Amino acid sequence: MKSIYRGLIVAVSGPSGVGKGTVLAKVEELLEKANPGSVGHSISVTTRAPRGQEKDGVEYYFRTTEQFEQMIADGKIVEYDKYVDNYYGTPSEPLDEMLSKGQDVLFDITIEGSLALNRKFDTDTVTIFILPPSMEELENRLRGRGTETEEKVQKRLEQARNEIKRAGEFEYIITNDDLDRAAGDILAIITAEKLKASKNISAVEELL
Ligand code: 5GP
């Protein structure tokens, strides 16, 4: 009676400082509350050094550039990108497993990463771009992060502008002016995506 549901990749991008991580943590919390075990967690591989209390296999798999390039050569990375001189990539096997178990997987990844997942997984992916409420607000958030020099803040803002120019390459655009609303918007997108006719034809056949 019940058709096998293949999980959805929710690929979220947006400029640094827009609050992607916080919004996605909220979305994950709400999805888990509604349906425990329904969200899978992808741990990326990176060549950047661990920060603070970060542990290998928890926040990231920390690897050398040689090891990372070997993983690419071995086909173990489904998408990867360079960000501030370091590689970041998504391991293929765990993702395939989660999707075939029917788990949805939320991604906070670069623009190229989201678009690559969309090309590779097509109907199993939805891409979302998060905008800041205003450039002033983004600037405040970038400054609020701590002891960045003025030059670094300006560089990050310039990069943010260049990224925001690409928002139209995504399927959905939301604004993070309020955490609960932004999380609610992403939940609405996920619900709509799952209700697409193309994904529910088997239910019609089963009914008849
Ligand atoms: P951070 O070094 O601050 O943890 O992450 C830097 C950036 O890398 C973030 O903007 C995040 O979206 C991106 N990122 C993290 N993991 C991946 C990944 O597996 N693939 C891609 N393409 N980007 C990633």
Side-chain angles (χ1 to χ4, degrees):
M1 176 70 193
K2 200 163 178 274
S3 41
I4 297 163
Y5 167 71
R6 206 173 133 82
L8 182 70
I9 292 174
V10 183
V12 179
S13 301
S16 169
V18 82
K20 285 166 289 180
T22 316
V23 174
L24 282 181
K26 184 80 194 172
V27 171
E28 185 166 339
E29 180 197 317
L30 294 170
L31 286 172
E32 271 294 324
K33 210 192 256 173
N35 193 358
S38 64
V39 186
H41 202 76
S42 174
I43 302 172
S44 298
V45 189
T46 184
T47 59
R48 86 149 161 76
R51 288 186 202 127
Q53 299 297 304
E54 287 182 338
K55 284 201 173 57
D56 183 51
V58 181
E59 287 83 6
Y60 285 104
Y61 294 110
F62 296 99
R63 296 290 181 266
T64 63
T65 304
E66 292 70 31
Q67 289 171 326
F68 194 98
E69 285 171 350
Q70 191 58 51
M71 288 182 81
I72 299 172
D74 293 343
K76 291 185 172 159
I77 302 277
V78 63
E79 68 70 35
Y80 68 94
D81 198 1
K82 261 198 163 169
Y83 181 85
V84 202
D85 297 332
N86 282 302
Y87 279 125
Y88 293 82
T90 305
S92 331
E93 222 179 278
L95 177 59
D96 277 337
E97 273 171 29
M98 291 184 281
L99 294 177
S100 27
K101 274 198 283 184
Q103 288 182 312
D104 300 322
V105 190
L106 311 177
F107 283 91
D108 161 1
I109 54 175
T110 60
I111 293 180
E112 291 305 336
S114 283
L115 301 179
L117 287 179
N118 205 16
R119 280 193 300 272
K120 292 212 171 165
F121 292 91
D122 190 23
T123 55
D124 291 332
T125 305
V126 61
T127 56
I128 305 173
F129 194 92
I130 306 192
L131 293 177
S134 67
M135 290 312 286
E136 289 71 30
E137 179 64 28
L138 186 68
E139 188 170 342
N140 288 340
R141 288 184 198 172
L142 287 175
R143 274 185 209 287
R145 280 196 165 183
T147 52
E148 303 272 32
T149 60
E150 181 59 25
E151 193 194 336
K152 265 201 172 161
V153 172
Q154 290 308 323
K155 229 173 138 182
R156 277 167 173 269
L157 266 176
E158 185 54 32
Q159 179 168 351
R161 262 187 217 100
N162 288 331
E163 288 179 358
I164 289 169
K165 280 181 196 156
R166 300 189 60 189
E169 294 174 48
F170 284 66
E171 291 163 296
Y172 294 91
I173 298 177
I174 68 164
T175 300
N176 185 19
D177 47 4
D178 174 87
L179 173 62
D180 289 331
R181 219 191 47 106
D185 284 348
I186 294 186
L187 285 180
I189 292 167
I190 293 174
T191 303
E193 210 51 38
K194 289 184 181 179
L195 295 176
K196 274 190 171 164
S198 57
K199 288 216 170 84
N200 291 284
I201 287 299
S202 61
V204 177
E205 285 157 4
E206 281 163 23
L207 191 67
L208 300 175

